[in-house]
Amino acid sequence: MDRRRFLTLSASAGALNLAPGRPRATTGASVGRGILYPQPLRRGDTIGITAPSAGVGADLEPRLRFCLEKLRALGYVVREGQVLRSDEMVSAPAYLRAAELQGMLLDDSIQAIVPPWGGELLIDILPLLDWAALAAARPKWFIGYSDLSTFMLAYTVRTHIATLNGSCLLEAPIHPTDPALAYWNDVATLAPGAVFVQHAASHYQAEDVDWAAAPLATQFSRTEPVRYKLLKHEEDADAAVTVRGRLLGGTLDVIAMLAGSVYGDVRGFVQSCAPEGLLIYLDNADMNSAQYCRLLHHLKLAGWFDHANAVLVGRTGGEQLREFTVRDALLDAVGDLAIPVLYDLDIGHLPPQLILVNGALATVHFEPMRRRSTGRGPARGGWRPSVIQALV
């Protein structure tokens, strides 16, 4: 979105007896009837590449080519759409973007869709899609974030098909984004009923990636320490939270516009698919702190937090307006909620970010970083917050 057309944020959080960030399949897990999960991706599957929001300009053609080759190296067949390359605000008129996206979603020869990145105005294609046809089609993975979450949240809410938030085509070659976090392909190849665990990253990247200047980049420049925070308990050494629910969210700048419409019927989604309650996750692409606060209030007034068990907020590089900080915005808008609000998480536009599956059942465990003794010298190590997701 705007100068941040795709990823950047900050954090710190929990541990389990699993290799960090590596998905682990489990047996005997029950697959829920409410959420529909795509079949796991396999070598030889076809991935559709289309741009339902912003297209890829000529200056990024080298990066695009590099990323497409990386998909092929993973064993996938790549099918490029006609709606992909553009230097304009959007990749094509709304009716063409809607037609190509819908065509790929209804095409059983395509197993996943990975757009290049987000943009600004995906919202204009939502009324042009045949939602009944999309709901009846075979589920397939849609992978993205930023403005793409405008479609992803609506798609999961209206069709009950899971979507994968936390990467996009131009970031697909970056593996691992952080050893503690999952890689998008590891998650997309999991079967329904599987479980995967991620921990807070150690460091994040504070600036946008310039893909034109670094078309062959395979890693983020992570220099700033991550620290997850619990609102109103930032200095409480004993604060700890364990919370469970179904994940649903995206980039606040764009998904907040869906509240009050059929595309943002969170209450209906809870009734159909999330009796456990929700874990609402949000990130801010480029709003200032006052705009950020207003949209959080908007979601609260629209009832999005009424069935939430927690709010998970990504770190933001948005402008601070006067002396009004991001924490002030959170306190003003959601500080009165009787649920945990965790912020500065690995979500959003300051990489790296957690892979979050809309619709999946998740447990978030938070505890402050602690020094501990190994019995062989000075205290060292620590314990970072974790996110456990089950595709059920």
Side-chain angles (χ1 to χ4, degrees):
M1 314 192 58
D2 193 46
R3 66 186 185 283
R4 294 176 167 74
R5 295 206 268 183
F6 65 135
L7 197 255
T8 350
L9 275 213
S10 117
S12 110
L16 292 177
N17 255 337
L18 292 175
R22 290 294 157 261
R24 177 196 67 174
T26 60
T27 58
S30 60
V31 179
R33 295 181 179 178
I35 299 297
L36 304 173
Y37 293 96
Q39 289 299 305
L41 289 182
R42 300 173 298 179
R43 293 182 67 86
D45 280 351
T46 298
I47 293 181
I49 309 296
T50 186
S53 185
V56 177
D59 61 330
L60 293 180
E61 183 67 23
R63 180 63 182 179
L64 177 62
R65 296 286 103 210
F66 178 69
C67 295
L68 293 175
E69 286 306 314
K70 286 298 181 181
L71 290 186
R72 295 185 180 102
L74 288 171
Y76 299 121
V77 176
V78 172
R79 187 179 302 173
E80 294 182 43
Q82 298 300 307
V83 178
L84 181 57
R85 292 171 174 83
S86 173
D87 287 304
E88 304 299 324
M89 177 67 76
V90 291
S91 60
Y95 74 94
L96 291 177
R97 286 181 283 126
E100 182 159 284
L101 175 60
Q102 180 165 299
M104 288 188 175
L105 287 166
L106 299 181
D107 185 344
D108 285 345
S109 70
I110 294 176
Q111 284 73 45
I113 297 171
V114 185
W117 56 6
E120 301 287 348
L121 295 173
L122 186 146
I123 196 169
D124 64 0
I125 73 171
L126 296 184
L128 305 180
L129 298 170
D130 184 341
W131 290 94
L134 297 184
R138 189 176 72 184
K140 62 187 64 177
W141 283 117
F142 186 101
I143 300 165
Y145 74 100
S146 196
D147 195 29
L148 300 171
S149 63
T150 311
F151 170 75
M152 294 163 64
L153 185 135
Y155 186 58
T156 298
V157 164
R158 296 205 64 181
T159 69
H160 304 166
I161 296 172
T163 49
L164 194 155
N165 184 95
S167 190
C168 57
L169 177 61
L170 295 191
E171 295 170 4
I174 298 179
H175 179 213
T177 59
D178 180 281
L181 305 182
Y183 182 50
W184 68 269
N185 189 57
D186 291 338
V187 177
T189 55
L190 290 175
V195 173
F196 68 102
V197 179
Q198 302 174 84
H199 306 288
S202 60
H203 291 79
Y204 73 96
Q205 176 172 296
E207 302 293 336
D208 291 339
V209 179
D210 185 349
W211 299 118
L216 306 184
T218 57
Q219 61 185 10
F220 292 126
S221 177
R222 299 183 295 107
T223 59
E224 302 304 313
V226 165
R227 183 193 168 204
Y228 289 7
K229 299 167 187 171
L230 177 61
L231 189 64
K232 298 190 288 189
H233 296 277
E234 290 86 350
E235 305 305 321
D236 184 352
D238 296 318
V241 168
T242 298
V243 63
R244 185 171 181 264
R246 291 202 178 266
L247 289 164
L248 190 68
T251 297
L252 179 64
D253 316 42
V254 292
I255 65 170
M257 305 307 160
L258 305 179
S261 75
V262 294
Y263 309 111
D265 183 10
V266 169
R267 186 181 304 276
F269 177 76
V270 169
Q271 293 172 349
S272 300
C273 299
E276 309 89 347
L278 297 174
L279 300 180
I280 297 285
Y281 68 90
L282 303 165
D283 83 271
N284 171 22
D286 46 25
M287 296 181 293
N288 67 41
S289 54
Q291 294 167 327
Y292 183 50
C293 185
R294 285 197 295 268
L295 286 192
L296 288 168
H297 273 289
H298 177 54
L299 292 190
K300 184 168 68 173
L301 292 172
W304 277 33
F305 304 130
D306 290 353
H307 300 282
N309 299 333
V311 182
L312 313 177
V313 181
R315 59 182 161 260
T316 176
E319 177 190 0
Q320 178 176 313
L321 197 64
R322 299 179 184 174
E323 301 302 314
F324 192 63
T325 67
V326 167
R327 183 176 185 272
D328 292 333
L330 292 171
L331 285 171
D332 189 75
V334 294
D336 61 340
L337 298 180
I339 56 176
V341 177
L342 290 164
Y343 69 103
D344 277 358
L345 274 63
D346 293 310
I347 303 171
H349 289 69
L350 298 174
Q353 59 175 317
L354 297 158
I355 297 297
L356 300 172
V357 178
N358 282 316
L361 194 60
T363 299
V364 176
H365 192 81
F366 169 86
E367 189 168 298
M369 293 290 287
R370 293 172 184 231
R371 307 295 286 177
R372 64 174 180 232
S373 173
T374 64
R376 298 180 181 177
R380 64 181 183 180
W383 196 71
R384 294 179 296 161
S386 59
V387 180
I388 305 106
Q389 296 177 74
L391 305 183
V392 298

